[in-house]
Amino acid sequence: MNIRNCKKCGKMFNYVAGPPICPVCRDEAEKKFQEVKEFVRTNRTATMNQIVEACGVDQRQVEQWIREERLVFSTDSPLKLSCESCGKTIVTGRYCEKCKKEQANTFSAAGRQSEASQAADKRDSGPKMYTFKK
Ligand SMILES: [Zn+2]
Ligand SMILES: [Zn+2]
């Protein structure tokens, strides 16, 4: 058993995997996600502000869904996402297909950490969770 406090509501729950969010908050986030997804689908040209206001959702949450590639925007969306590596316009996630492939190659090159992945680490400035094996 691994008991943790929910990052959202602070309640203790039996932690299994993924973000430290309790099942209740996770369900709520999932409902919100479906709402936002539907909104984006029917309002193809909605801006980030419109999404945040119409769905009553946190912008950071929307950005997280984008990074997780759950939220996909149409190519005529005013939300211009760009590849964090080469700057090419993308519709979801953080990198374009080409850079993702290049990264996959980089990561699979065993033994040494390449300059590319070190640069990627530096760009990734948000709070991160590491699991340390003891
Ligand atoms: Zn919770
Ligand atoms: Zn790219």
Side-chain angles (χ1 to χ4, degrees):
M1 284 262 275
N2 185 359
I3 301 293
R4 288 212 198 175
N5 285 89
C6 170
K7 229 169 98 186
K8 282 211 159 119
C9 68
K11 275 200 203 108
M12 300 224 282
F13 71 106
N14 188 9
Y15 178 77
V16 183
I21 308 288
C22 77
V24 177
C25 292
R26 199 184 294 239
D27 271 6
E28 260 169 43
E30 187 57 32
K31 260 185 235 152
K32 214 41 148 177
F33 170 70
Q34 294 302 335
E35 197 183 319
V36 172
K37 192 173 143 194
E38 186 59 20
F39 181 80
V40 168
R41 199 176 64 80
T42 49
N43 300 273
R44 291 161 64 94
T45 56
T47 63
M48 178 61 89
N49 277 345
Q50 283 170 331
I51 296 167
V52 167
E53 271 174 36
C55 303
V57 69
D58 197 26
Q59 179 171 336
R60 278 189 322 213
Q61 176 69 82
V62 178
E63 284 166 355
Q64 193 193 324
W65 288 326
I66 295 169
R67 280 200 299 272
E68 290 169 355
E69 302 190 7
R70 299 186 70 194
L71 213 52
V72 181
F73 292 93
S74 67
T75 44
D76 49 355
S77 163
L79 251 93
K80 290 294 174 224
L81 308 174
S82 46
C83 171
E84 288 183 21
S85 179
C86 72
K88 194 180 155 209
T89 303
I90 51 175
V91 292
T92 190
R94 303 173 62 181
Y95 302 103
C96 69
E97 288 304 318
K98 187 171 148 277
C99 291
K100 262 197 278 186
K101 264 192 204 126
E102 273 169 19
Q103 282 183 353
N105 289 341
T106 305
F107 291 141
S108 62
R112 65 189 181 87
Q113 199 182 15
S114 77
E115 277 179 27
S117 66
Q118 274 178 15
D121 284 344
K122 271 181 208 141
R123 264 196 309 274
D124 209 346
S125 55
K128 258 193 185 172
M129 292 206 343
Y130 293 100
T131 311
F132 291 104
K133 292 230 165 64
K134 282 186 185 154

